[in-house]
Amino acid sequence: VVSISSADSKADTHAQVTLQLEANDVTRAAWPHEFVLRYTVRLEPTSLRLSLDIENVDTSSWDFTSCLHTYLRVQNIDAVSLRGLKGVTFTDKVDGCKEKVETNDLLRVPSASCESSPKGDGVEGFVDRIYHKPQETLVMEDEAASLTWTVKQSTSWTDTTVFNPWKYGKLGARGPDFDDDGYKLMLCIEPTVAAAPLLLKPGEKFTGTQLIQVKKRSQGS
């Protein structure tokens, strides 16, 4: 059972809530370890702060993987670019989990979906990539909305996942919770622990944060 650990708000400045999940009979049936998980969401006028705390309260060590599924709303994915990943090694989950190196200064989903096509024939696929040891800060430009998004994750996250299902990844029964044209309006930039599980000894705690800031672009920029 998820409970509210704390909540705080102040008009015109912020609203914050911390959700908490502790090991119980349901979680132990799926994963037999003792833990406390806290997820804090802080909303400010032009930013969103996310924090995930995972604490080992068991008598033995265990390891874990994790990902914050941050779906960012954009006006038109065709006019969106992501900067900061050039030269970073990534696992291309669409193309048989091959290890590749990002060669583009700006990642654009339409062209990236073609690059990841398993057939290698330029036919559009979708984008599902885990970038390993990325830089802390990435910048997304939403040209159609004239918005600049700055996405910063703490170094405790070992990876960053970039995801867009494109035209077919969540079509119909594949995505019952996703509009068929929803791919046009979103991009996931997710702080992740995926390449290798992290080990927590008894009493140790993992803290991973993400800061998402958005600002209006000035004309001509």
Side-chain angles (χ1 to χ4, degrees):
V1 178
V2 176
S3 62
I4 297 177
S5 175
S6 64
D8 174 54
S9 66
K10 187 175 181 180
D12 301 325
T13 62
H14 72 275
Q16 177 173 309
V17 64
T18 297
L19 305 177
Q20 180 168 307
L21 175 66
E22 299 184 25
N24 55 60
D25 290 343
V26 175
T27 66
R28 293 185 191 103
W31 194 63
H33 301 290
E34 300 299 306
F35 67 91
V36 177
L37 185 149
R38 298 180 183 89
Y39 183 46
T40 300
V41 179
R42 182 181 179 89
L43 182 63
E44 299 179 0
T46 60
S47 68
L48 177 66
R49 298 174 185 268
L50 307 173
S51 178
L52 182 67
D53 296 305
I54 303 172
E55 184 177 3
N56 183 348
V57 295
D58 212 329
T59 57
S60 58
S61 300
W62 42 256
D63 58 20
F64 71 97
T65 58
S66 182
C67 184
L68 299 184
H69 293 280
T70 44
Y71 280 58
L72 304 181
R73 174 82 177 207
V74 300
Q75 188 162 315
N76 180 357
I77 193 62
D78 289 336
V80 169
S81 63
L82 182 62
R83 183 171 70 250
L85 292 170
K86 185 177 181 179
V88 179
T89 299
F90 67 93
T91 300
D92 193 337
K93 295 178 65 179
V94 178
D95 193 8
C97 289
K98 293 178 181 177
E99 294 292 300
K100 303 179 180 179
V101 176
E102 183 59 64
T103 58
N104 297 297
D105 290 312
L106 299 177
L107 185 150
R108 296 183 181 273
V109 167
S111 57
S113 70
C114 291
E115 293 169 5
S116 292
S117 172
K119 296 180 181 179
D121 55 7
V123 176
E124 296 168 343
F126 62 100
V127 177
D128 192 357
R129 300 178 175 187
I130 303 174
Y131 288 85
H132 310 304
K133 299 180 180 179
Q135 62 183 46
E136 293 179 48
T137 302
L138 304 178
V139 177
M140 181 177 76
E141 300 287 354
D142 185 347
E143 297 167 10
S146 296
L147 294 176
T148 297
W149 299 70
T150 302
V151 182
K152 183 177 182 179
Q153 67 183 48
S154 59
T155 56
S156 50
W157 300 102
T158 56
D159 311 287
T160 297
T161 298
V162 177
F163 172 76
N164 181 289
W166 204 232
K167 296 180 180 180
Y168 309 110
K170 285 186 176 288
L171 187 65
R174 295 180 181 178
D177 60 344
F178 200 89
D179 293 337
D180 285 350
D181 63 350
Y183 72 94
K184 298 178 181 178
L185 306 174
M186 52 74 61
L187 182 65
C188 284
I189 306 172
E190 309 173 6
T192 308
V193 174
L198 292 183
L199 180 72
L200 285 184
K201 298 178 181 178
E204 289 186 337
K205 182 169 71 173
F206 164 87
T207 297
T209 63
Q210 184 182 46
L211 172 63
I212 302 169
Q213 297 172 300
V214 60
K215 67 177 181 180
K216 195 75 173 177
R217 296 172 59 188
S218 59
Q219 289 188 354
S221 64

